[in-house]
Amino acid sequence: MQTAYINHPDCLRHDMGAHHPECPARLGAIEDQLIASGLLPYLQQHDAPLATFEQLARVHTPHYIESIQAAAPAQGLIYLDPDTAMGPHSLNAALRAAGAAVLATELVLEHKVENAFCAIRPPGHHAEPGKAMGFCIFNNVAVAAAHAMEKFGLRRVAIVDFDVHHGNGTEAMFRDDPRVMLCSTFQHPYYPYSGADSSNAHIINVPLPAGTDGTIFREKITERWLPALDDFQPEMLFVSAGFDGHREDDMAQFNLLEADYSWVTQQVKDIAGRHARKRIVSVLEGGYELHALGRSVLAHLKVLSGL
Ligand SMILES: [Zn+2]
């Protein structure tokens, strides 16, 4: 079965101003690599729908969703936090980003594809139940995981997050929900300065120092994530796929390479093959050095699709 590739032109229209690293060109850089490699025609391409209030409200407070709808400006930018702005097209981009993750979940659970990748922005894993943060408005991966549980009745799902930043929002949403195993690696101490002391039985946080390279990354994932995931036996896996830990990405100080992203994707695929009928939904998070981002997503998608 195929891999789905979900995006939407609205995600290109969210623009937080010149020089903001979370820029529309990120999606172009990804698509360029997929075209140049010849992979894109082999993926099942879909336009993302708009997420509904009900889908968002499984992880966000109704008050927060309404405040985001009301905040959208007719022109110019308004700031939700010092790093996160909304322009006239940002609300639709954020609704498409979460909607992509919902559609991906449905395509996989309805057996239309084996797995799916959402090439969307804004990213999501810093967005908390009632707060935008760190370039994120709605928590796309959390919306997807909640959809799998509430609409399809899944009882155990896992979210793996290899973005260089801790996914504080996702953790805030599922900290007290033992149906969700959250496995993450992140630079620490570093933005958002959380996660190092909040592990519990189903939250597998692996803080790693600046300078972490592929050898350390693979060792820690092998030691910490993989046995926990095998014990948990998730029925579906979700990926917060952030590529800002790449050596060429100066957003943070990890030294990962495309081969490390291929490796971690293969580990996720192996777990999904053993426990989850191969079901994986992967959602773009960070990755700001455009060339490295394009190459890293290509590496990730080659493993997901097996092509
Ligand atoms: Zn990040």
Side-chain angles (χ1 to χ4, degrees), residues 125-126 163-165 242 244 251 285-288:
H125 73 154
H126 295 306
D163 189 278
V164 79
H165 303 97
D244 40 9
M251 181 65 74
E285 299 284 0
Y288 304 100

Side-chain angles (χ1 to χ4, degrees), residues 53-116:
F53 190 95
E54 181 195 355
Q55 290 161 357
L56 298 170
R58 293 181 182 132
V59 295
H60 290 287
T61 63
H63 173 77
Y64 173 69
I65 302 165
E66 284 158 10
S67 76
I68 291 295
Q69 287 166 338
Q75 55 182 3
L77 288 175
I78 59 108
Y79 282 83
L80 304 174
D81 94 334
D83 306 317
T84 316
M86 286 183 83
H89 306 291
S90 301
L91 176 61
N92 266 1
L95 292 171
R96 297 282 181 198
V102 168
L103 175 62
T105 302
E106 294 183 345
L107 290 170
V108 169
L109 284 169
E110 291 167 358
H111 313 294
K112 308 236 170 73
V113 292
E114 188 168 294
N115 54 46

Side-chain angles (χ1 to χ4, degrees), residues 20-23 26-27 30 117-126 133-136 140-141 160-167 239-246 249-252 261 282-290 292-297 300:
H20 197 295
E22 207 290 278
C23 60
R26 297 176 64 227
L27 298 182
I30 291 170
F117 179 75
C118 302
I120 48 80
R121 54 186 290 281
H125 73 154
H126 295 306
M133 188 173 154
F135 315 161
C136 301
N140 309 312
V141 82
V160 305
D161 184 336
F162 54 74
D163 189 278
V164 79
H165 303 97
H166 176 236
V239 183
S240 264
F243 300 93
D244 40 9
H246 194 283
D249 197 312
D250 62 8
M251 181 65 74
Y261 294 120
S282 177
V283 182
L284 182 66
E285 299 284 0
Y288 304 100
E289 204 296 315
L290 298 181
L293 172 64
R295 298 194 312 264
S296 299
V297 171
H300 180 58

Side-chain angles (χ1 to χ4, degrees), residues 13-53:
R13 298 191 186 108
H14 165 55
D15 190 340
M16 296 189 283
H19 314 302
H20 197 295
E22 207 290 278
C23 60
R26 297 176 64 227
L27 298 182
I30 291 170
E31 198 154 306
D32 280 353
Q33 283 290 332
L34 298 181
I35 292 167
S37 67
L39 187 63
L40 194 58
Y42 294 96
L43 305 176
Q44 191 183 108
Q45 295 184 61
H46 293 267
D47 272 355
L50 299 164
T52 65
F53 190 95

